């Protein structure tokens, strides 16, 4: 969601904030702003648009100062414009702050503050907090923040400055991530490591209910109730190249192309080839609960929810474990029935998705064991779950998730295999699956090497207004994911359906202007898929098939074929999704869309 940065130290503050904002721009990008203390009090520069626009607006500004805060916004309250952009300031010019999250009781607070004479200028919930802190301030910013936040309901990651002490920043967290970077004679705070990773790798993670006082030489962690919180400084391993485009025109294309490596990284050190099974260090503490589970619930959002659906097929097929897949946002408000033998898996790339976090808390409060399948080390989900598995896919910057999806499927395949080996799969079958898994990176690389057909198809269909994606079995979720990728980045309307379900509605839409993408690999559902293809062709629909290499027969039945290598049918999503990612990417580029920052979306959704 929004990106937040704060810096205290002797470097030139404006370029540092701009650089940090650029690194976080994938989180939210409808407006950007910075705030710092200058000779005439606080200077705020903010507007709708990208960080590059802000950078140009600031190119002539030179200020001697030692602290500042910045923000990239994803609007929740109030349209994107200069007034609603962050940082916000109270009407006396005393407090400035940048915020990620939602202040739920802002209307009541605003009314009360207006009655006591405060004048508001923006439509945001955030501005209220600046006025409120000013209202309760009695000489100490940290104390004022603690006092004010006790009156606030909602979620926040906040960085706050006060004109009385312009060389300090106070940060506060409830439900929105904040990480503090410890430098030498300088300190950083941000919603994302990427914002300051080139300056320091020593970090402390703020937890919910905590505040921190940050000056250039010291960092004090406390609770809202003013208890000191002892913290361990952790060293993070992170390469700067991981957050740069490395010669690709977009992060999304770079990340699609990283998949041979990221899938291999998800497996690295985990496969026990001889025994035909898999071992996860991160699951060991709750091994008994995992091994003894009678039922599992997978909670996730977006692309991770699609990976969870693939996981459902894998767990049921390989381990015989009944699985229910839930949207985290629905699960959290239901009365889920959980018992000692139900385990919950929370699947999330970012580890910060608000609904998934809330679902974890709900499941824990009902006594369930909760496992995380997560990419971002140090994020909230791995810290709140009982045990879990990291994807090790490296930072994913493109808003449309690609490499995280395949890594999630690789991890879920391994989890299903490891459980299956204890229940129903022989060592020989386990070894066969492991061999297939190990061959996947090479097969993905071969798909990436032959993209000409995909570019031709993209050229031909770039102006179509609707697409239908159909698949069966474990490739039904891939159809959903293919459709999601296309709509996210090209703004073409696309639907995914189980192929057989087409007859119960979507078939009404089919005419010669409707491209239908079929996942038609040679598995147990192949013959049925061919019938569905015939039904579409009979209605003059245009068919694009993702088929198994060597299947010459299908070429005569469809308009276009994209071939993927053969693999174990249960692992096929790791291959079939790749051409669909590329198709969406090329169509979006041809349509002139900003693929890395599609309109209205955000990489990590930290509000409900
Ligand atoms: C946002 C992103 C999606 C992502 C979803 C879930 O909507 O734009 O790409 O799939 O959140 O995010 P998570 O980090 O929990 O996987």
């Amino acid at each position: 969601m929004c990106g937040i940065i704060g810096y205290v130290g002797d470097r030139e503050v404006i370029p540092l904030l701009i650089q940090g904002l650029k690194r976080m721009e994938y989180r939210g990008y409808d407006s950007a702003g910075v705030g710092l203390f200058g000779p005439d009090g606080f200077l705020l520069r903010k507007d709708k648009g990208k960080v590059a626009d802000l950078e140009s607006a600031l190119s002539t500004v030179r200020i001697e100062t030692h602290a500042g805060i910045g923000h990239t916004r994803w609007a929740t309250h109030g349209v994107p414009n200069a007034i609603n952009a962050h940082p916000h300031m109270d009407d006396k010019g005393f407090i400035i702050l940048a915020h990620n999250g939602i202040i739920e009781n802002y209307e009541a607070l605003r009314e009360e503050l207006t009655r006591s004479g405060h004048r508001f200028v923006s439509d945001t919930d955030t501005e209220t907090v600046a006025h409120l802190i000013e209202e309760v301030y009695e000489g100490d910013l940290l104390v004022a923040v603690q006092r004010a936040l006790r009156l606030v309901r909602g979620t926040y990651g906040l960085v706050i400055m006060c004109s009385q002490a312009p060389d300090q920043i106070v940060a506060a967290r409830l439900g929105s991530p904040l990480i503090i970077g410890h430098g030498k004679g300088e300190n950083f705070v941000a919603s994302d490591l990427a914002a300051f990773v080139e300056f320091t790798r020593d970090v402390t993670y703020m937890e919910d209910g905590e505040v921190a006082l940050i000056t250039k030489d010291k960092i004090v962690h406390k609770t809202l109730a003013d208890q000191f919180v002892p913290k361990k400084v952790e060293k993070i391993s992170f390469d700067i190249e991981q957050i740069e485009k490395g010669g690709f025109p977009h992060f999304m294309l770079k990340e699609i192309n990283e998949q041979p490596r990221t899938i291999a990284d998800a497996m690295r050190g985990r496969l026990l080839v001889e025994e035909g099974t898999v071992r996860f260090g991160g699951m060991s503490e709750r091994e008994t609960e995992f091994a003894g589970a009678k039922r599992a619930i997978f909670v996730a959002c977006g692309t991770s929810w699609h990976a969870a659906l693939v996981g459902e097929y894998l767990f049921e097929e390989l381990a015989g474990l009944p699985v229910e897949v839930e949207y985290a946002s629905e699960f959290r408000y239901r009365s889920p029935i959980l018992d000692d033998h139900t385990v919950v898996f929370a699947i999330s790339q970012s580890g910060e998705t608000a609904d998934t976090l809330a679902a974890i808390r709900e499941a824990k409060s009902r006594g369930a064991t909760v496992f995380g399948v997560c990419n971002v080390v140090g994020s909230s989900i791995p810290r709140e779950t009982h045990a879990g598995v990291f994807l090790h896919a490296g930072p994913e910057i493109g808003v449309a998730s690609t490499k995280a999806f395949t890594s999630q499927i690789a991890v879920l395949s391994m989890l299903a295999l490891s459980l299956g080996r204890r229940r129903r799969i022989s060592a020989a079958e386990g070894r066969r699956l492991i061999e297939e898994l190990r061959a996947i990176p090479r097969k993905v690389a071969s798909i990436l090497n032959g993209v000409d057909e995909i570019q031709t198809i993209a050229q031909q269909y770039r102006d179509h207004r609707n697409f239908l994606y159909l698949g069966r079995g474990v490739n039904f979720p891939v159809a959903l994911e293919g459709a999601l990728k296309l709509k996210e980045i090209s703004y073409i309307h696309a639907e995914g359906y189980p192929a057989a379900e087409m007859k119960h509605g979507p078939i009404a839409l089919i005419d010669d202007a409707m491209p239908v993408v079929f996942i038609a690999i040679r598995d147990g559902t192949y013959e049925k898929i061919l019938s569905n293809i015939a039904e579409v062709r009979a209605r003059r629909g245009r068919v694009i098939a993702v088929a198994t290499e060597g299947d010459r027969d299908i070429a005569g039945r469809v308009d276009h074929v994209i071939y993927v290598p053969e693999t174990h049918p249960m692992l096929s999503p790791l291959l079939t999704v790749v051409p669909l990612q590329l198709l969406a990417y090329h169509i979006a580029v041809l349509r002139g869309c900003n693929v890395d920052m599609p309109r209205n979306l955000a990489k990590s959704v930290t509000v409900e």
Side-chain angles (χ1 to χ4, degrees):
M1 208 101 280
C2 310
I4 299 179
I5 181 167
Y7 172 74
V8 198
D10 294 332
R11 292 177 203 265
E12 242 194 289
V13 177
I14 293 177
L16 186 134
L17 295 177
I18 293 288
Q19 164 81 347
L21 291 178
K22 281 190 173 163
R23 296 252 191 250
M24 289 186 296
E25 202 171 13
Y26 70 101
R27 295 179 70 96
Y29 35 79
D30 58 46
S31 337
V34 295
L36 16 90
F37 195 74
D40 307 318
F42 278 126
L43 169 86
L44 298 186
R45 274 296 160 84
K46 49 184 197 158
D47 208 343
K48 69 166 191 277
K50 302 269 187 284
V51 177
D53 304 330
L54 177 68
E55 186 176 28
S56 327
L58 283 164
S59 59
T60 52
V61 179
R62 298 273 171 282
I63 294 185
E64 264 292 309
T65 191
H66 298 282
I69 59 177
H71 190 263
T72 60
R73 178 168 186 244
W74 184 88
T76 57
H77 293 74
V79 294
N81 62 22
I83 290 177
N84 291 336
H86 298 219
H88 285 280
M89 183 159 68
D90 71 299
D91 53 349
K92 301 192 182 64
F94 190 69
I95 297 287
I96 60 167
L97 52 79
H99 169 223
N100 182 12
I102 293 182
I103 307 301
E104 285 166 8
N105 59 339
Y106 82 101
E107 281 169 330
L109 290 170
R110 186 170 168 140
E111 240 170 67
E112 217 174 298
L113 287 159
T114 308
R115 272 201 299 274
S116 22
H118 289 259
R119 278 182 304 107
F120 284 78
V121 293
S122 77
D123 307 319
T124 64
D125 51 334
T126 302
E127 189 188 347
T128 318
V129 187
H131 291 267
L132 185 61
I133 296 171
E134 191 277 331
E135 180 73 20
V136 300
Y137 182 88
E138 283 177 357
D140 184 315
L141 179 61
L142 184 73
V143 173
V145 169
Q146 290 167 321
R147 206 173 282 159
L149 292 182
R150 286 201 286 269
L151 303 171
V152 159
R153 246 192 10 256
T155 56
Y156 48 79
L158 280 163
V159 287
I160 306 149
M161 291 178 69
C162 169
S163 61
Q164 295 287 290
D167 289 349
Q168 55 173 245
I169 292 175
V170 169
R173 168 185 168 144
L174 188 70
S176 276
L178 281 180
I179 306 163
I180 296 183
H182 298 237
K184 290 199 176 44
E186 60 180 355
N187 287 309
F188 307 78
V189 56
S191 48
D192 197 310
L193 274 174
F196 58 72
V197 70
E198 54 219 283
F199 304 112
T200 179
R201 275 140 204 252
D202 293 333
V203 303
T204 45
Y205 294 98
M206 289 184 71
E207 302 290 343
D208 282 350
E210 287 180 10
V211 288
L213 174 68
I214 305 161
T215 63
K216 72 197 255 270
D217 308 305
K218 85 172 184 269
I219 294 163
V220 181
H221 290 273
K222 284 189 167 183
T223 63
L224 276 191
D226 208 38
Q227 300 293 310
F228 279 98
V229 183
K231 288 271 174 182
K232 203 169 117 251
V233 177
E234 297 179 39
K235 233 198 188 15
I236 43 133
S237 60
F238 200 103
D239 289 333
I240 202 77
E241 304 86 72
Q242 292 182 315
I243 50 170
E244 292 183 335
K245 288 188 199 142
F248 286 94
H250 299 101
F251 280 111
M252 183 179 175
L253 188 61
K254 176 186 176 226
E255 287 156 7
I256 291 173
N257 277 278
E258 278 173 354
Q259 290 175 110
R261 202 196 66 228
T262 49
I263 295 171
D265 286 347
M267 298 189 278
R268 197 176 307 286
R270 290 170 167 165
L271 303 178
L272 303 179
V273 181
E274 275 306 296
E275 293 142 63
T277 190
V278 185
R279 188 178 43 215
F280 295 99
M283 295 289 286
S284 54
E285 270 182 41
R286 295 291 176 130
E287 192 57 39
T288 322
E289 287 85 344
F290 177 52
K294 295 213 165 73
R295 173 172 161 254
I297 299 178
F298 292 174
V299 292
C301 304
T303 288
S304 299
W305 186 79
H306 294 158
L309 285 177
V310 175
E312 176 181 18
Y313 286 88
L314 286 160
F315 270 67
E316 291 183 354
E317 176 76 21
L318 302 180
L321 185 74
V323 175
E324 289 154 47
V325 179
E326 297 266 7
Y327 285 114
S329 54
E330 289 297 315
F331 176 86
R332 64 183 291 191
Y333 289 119
R334 288 191 18 215
S335 300
I337 296 153
L338 302 170
D339 58 29
D340 288 354
H341 297 290
T342 304
V343 292
V344 172
F345 278 84
I347 302 162
S348 169
Q349 186 285 129
S350 63
E352 298 294 353
T353 303
D355 283 321
T356 310
L357 264 168
I360 292 170
R361 291 174 191 147
E362 177 65 30
K364 279 168 79 179
S365 76
R366 290 169 187 264
T369 301
V370 186
F371 298 103
V373 173
C374 226
N375 192 33
V376 180
V377 178
S379 60
S380 302
I381 290 177
R383 285 183 292 130
E384 292 210 17
T385 42
H386 295 112
V389 182
F390 282 114
L391 305 180
H392 299 308
E396 190 180 65
I397 310 282
V399 167
S401 184
T402 52
K403 64 175 179 174
F405 180 72
T406 43
S407 294
Q408 286 165 337
I409 294 175
V411 164
L412 289 165
S413 314
M414 291 188 288
L415 282 165
L417 171 56
S418 122
L419 195 60
R421 279 284 289 115
R422 297 165 226 228
R423 299 186 171 195
R424 46 156 53 177
I425 294 181
S426 67
E429 175 64 3
R431 277 195 290 273
R432 194 168 86 76
L433 273 160
I434 284 184
E435 276 322 307
E436 292 283 358
L437 270 170
R438 289 170 72 183
I440 292 285
R442 182 173 42 76
K443 293 179 180 177
V444 172
S446 84
I447 301 171
L448 294 169
N449 286 335
V451 297
D452 295 356
E453 178 62 10
I454 299 174
Q455 273 162 338
T456 311
I457 300 170
Q459 217 22 290
Q460 206 165 322
Y461 293 92
R462 53 184 274 185
D463 294 324
H464 282 249
R465 308 209 24 212
N466 299 288
F467 268 71
L468 190 60
Y469 285 71
L470 302 174
R472 281 177 177 256
V474 74
N475 279 299
F476 153 55
V478 175
L480 295 179
E481 177 60 10
L484 178 65
K485 286 289 86 83
L486 187 69
K487 74 182 129 197
E488 278 179 315
I489 59 171
S490 74
Y491 319 138
I492 295 173
H493 171 245
E495 296 283 347
Y497 262 91
E501 201 49 32
M502 174 185 68
K503 290 197 280 295
H504 300 288
I507 199 164
L509 301 172
I510 290 172
D511 59 16
D512 59 2
M514 176 66 117
V516 185
V517 180
F518 274 94
I519 296 132
I521 54 157
R522 281 203 186 267
D523 63 6
T525 66
Y526 181 67
E527 298 298 331
K528 309 270 178 219
I529 285 273
L530 289 184
S531 311
N532 299 137
I533 289 176
E535 287 153 12
V536 170
R537 294 268 287 184
R539 285 153 187 88
R540 293 183 301 129
R542 312 298 301 276
V543 177
I544 300 160
V546 175
T548 309
E549 241 163 46
D551 182 358
R552 297 281 155 246
D553 177 40
I554 200 162
R557 300 168 183 256
V558 300
D559 297 279
H560 308 271
V561 195
I562 308 166
Y563 287 110
V564 297
E566 190 169 10
T567 183
H568 188 293
M570 295 311 291
L571 302 180
S572 60
L574 288 164
L575 304 182
T576 52
V577 76
V578 178
L580 305 188
Q581 297 168 340
L582 286 165
L583 183 63
Y585 172 80
H586 287 296
I587 290 179
V589 170
L590 288 167
R591 289 165 67 88
C593 300
N594 184 342
V595 288
D596 282 338
M597 294 183 216
R599 71 181 179 208
N600 304 342
L601 297 179
K603 183 69 187 157
S604 144
V605 179
T606 53
V607 294
E608 240 190 87

